[in-house]
Amino acid sequence: MKPRIVFMGTPDFAVPSLLALIENDYPVVGVVTATDKRGGRGGKKLLESAVKRAAIEHDILVLQPEKLRAPEFLEQLATLKADLQIVVAFRMLPEVVWNMPTKGTFNLHGSLLPKYRGAAPINWAIINGEQATGLTTFFIQHEIDTGDMLLQASTPIGPNETAGDLHDRMMNLGATLVVETVRLIETGDYRLQQQNDELACPAPKLHRENLQIDFAQDCQLVHDFIRGLSPFPAAWTTMNGQVLKIFLSEIIPGEHSLIPGTIFKEGKQLKVACRGGFLSLLKLQLAGRRRMEVQDFLNGVEIPENEVLG
């Protein structure tokens, strides 16, 4: 008999995993997701999570607790009598929740654990110049992202691939891994693998303070930083006192004696000096304007002479 499943997730990344379970005829008896948020123009619109919308389309019960330890939520969750809980891009669970199902609770994480434990594994893998990453399913335990592993799947990272591109590929790869993991748990034919804590490295949450570009670094490091934060939350600098977000770049090797961060137009290119060469900026956004390809940007923005981005 297929296990009764409660699925926990919120953003777009989790939706393919939920749909894959449904398509493979697994009984998803409930979905736990974030509460609705106000957003849109003026914050007047009530926004539902991507997972909630998908669950409603398939007539699945949706629970949206503000507090995961709330007695009324725990009672609702218990009445679903789940054999297995699956977590994809949700928040940290208390033990009273993850320890409830008879077959346990497993999480899909966007890295090859124990590397990149934390909230932003896809971003940090690219920022750090990794040539490959992957996904891991593991049983949840007390310390975040440290549980015994079930399955892993690896994928290469292209030299110019952005976090957004990789995210979209990995959410579909993750859906396949989730179904494979459920099948293993269903049969009981699996062997857990402990994580080696000595190989662990963090992938902390991204904040505005650690998104500012340092053009004094090597071109490759700056390029990886930009693509690792594109399209969201986006690497930024300042030009003429205004915030400038950069989404795409290309490395142009070359010797120069310019101050790092010097920006200038050369033909149809917009170039910035870094250590060991230049970056050609391909997609960017100045504060108060829309995101633009470089040609549109140059048609509408005057580049100050001898300007150094900071």
Side-chain angles (χ1 to χ4, degrees), residues 146-162:
T146 61
D148 292 342
M149 298 181 294
L150 288 144
L151 288 176
Q152 290 190 312
S154 62
T155 187
I157 302 175
N160 295 307
E161 191 166 23
T162 66

Side-chain angles (χ1 to χ4, degrees), residues 245-266:
K245 293 181 178 180
I246 302 174
F247 300 93
L248 291 177
S249 60
E250 181 180 23
I251 298 173
I252 303 176
E255 297 296 325
H256 67 82
S257 57
L258 296 171
I259 298 171
T262 299
I263 185 170
F264 58 96
K265 181 181 177 182
E266 186 175 84

Side-chain angles (χ1 to χ4, degrees), residues 16-300:
S17 293
L18 174 59
L19 297 181
L21 292 167
I22 296 168
E23 289 163 8
N24 283 274
D25 297 322
Y26 282 104
V28 181
V29 296
V31 158
V32 182
T33 190
T35 56
D36 298 343
K37 310 294 183 186
R38 292 204 172 273
R41 183 168 294 181
K44 296 179 180 179
K45 190 175 181 181
L46 206 57
L47 304 178
E48 299 174 332
S49 76
V51 165
K52 179 180 177 179
R53 294 194 300 271
I56 290 172
E57 287 175 7
H58 290 85
D59 297 319
I60 298 172
L61 174 70
V62 176
L63 303 179
Q64 296 177 273
E66 289 188 5
K67 296 181 179 180
L68 295 176
R69 297 179 188 273
E72 58 272 23
F73 166 65
L74 296 175
E75 185 177 330
Q76 285 179 306
L77 193 59
T79 61
L80 296 178
K81 297 180 180 177
D83 302 303
L84 179 67
Q85 290 176 160
I86 300 172
V87 180
V88 183
F90 195 52
R91 60 203 220 230
M92 190 171 178
L93 302 181
E95 182 177 1
V96 68
V97 172
W98 58 255
N99 203 28
M100 190 176 289
T102 55
K103 295 183 183 294
T105 299
F106 79 81
N107 184 81
L108 174 72
H109 186 74
S111 78
L112 296 174
L113 290 171
K115 296 189 75 172
Y116 300 108
R117 292 173 175 169
I122 293 175
N123 304 93
W124 284 107
I126 295 178
I127 290 170
N128 290 337
E130 300 282 2
Q131 295 182 11
T133 186
L135 297 119
T136 305
T137 53
F138 66 94
F139 279 121
I140 290 177
Q141 61 182 34
H142 289 97
E143 296 297 323
I144 191 167
D145 297 338
T146 61
D148 292 342
M149 298 181 294
L150 288 144
L151 288 176
Q152 290 190 312
S154 62
T155 187
I157 302 175
N160 295 307
E161 191 166 23
T162 66
D165 296 333
L166 183 57
H167 169 280
D168 291 350
R169 285 200 300 109
M170 285 179 64
M171 68 182 186
N172 293 311
L173 181 61
T176 300
L177 198 66
V178 163
V179 172
E180 290 175 358
T181 301
V182 174
R183 285 176 179 153
L184 286 182
I185 293 171
E186 183 181 0
T187 61
D189 184 22
Y190 61 88
R191 181 177 296 177
L192 295 175
Q193 181 180 347
Q194 286 189 333
Q195 296 188 39
N196 184 350
D197 291 341
E198 292 182 2
L199 301 177
C201 63
K205 191 173 182 179
L206 298 165
H207 299 280
R208 188 178 186 279
E209 296 72 28
N210 59 8
L211 306 182
Q212 188 172 7
I213 303 168
D214 178 7
F215 290 102
Q217 293 183 311
D218 182 84
C219 276
Q220 185 67 56
L221 294 178
V222 181
H223 176 64
D224 292 342
F225 187 76
I226 289 169
R227 66 193 182 96
L229 296 170
S230 177
F232 182 83
W236 66 274
T237 184
T238 57
M239 185 175 76
N240 199 22
Q242 292 183 288
V243 171
L244 177 69
K245 293 181 178 180
I246 302 174
F247 300 93
L248 291 177
S249 60
E250 181 180 23
I251 298 173
I252 303 176
E255 297 296 325
H256 67 82
S257 57
L258 296 171
I259 298 171
T262 299
I263 185 170
F264 58 96
K265 181 181 177 182
E266 186 175 84
K268 294 184 178 181
Q269 290 185 322
L270 182 60
K271 297 170 73 173
V272 181
C274 303
R275 183 158 58 85
F278 306 90
L279 285 184
S280 176
L281 306 185
L282 305 178
K283 186 176 289 187
L284 54 172
Q285 182 179 18
L286 197 60
R289 298 176 181 244
R290 63 180 175 85
R291 191 179 310 178
M292 302 181 195
E293 303 290 337
V294 64
Q295 287 307 308
D296 293 331
F297 186 87
L298 289 173
N299 289 336

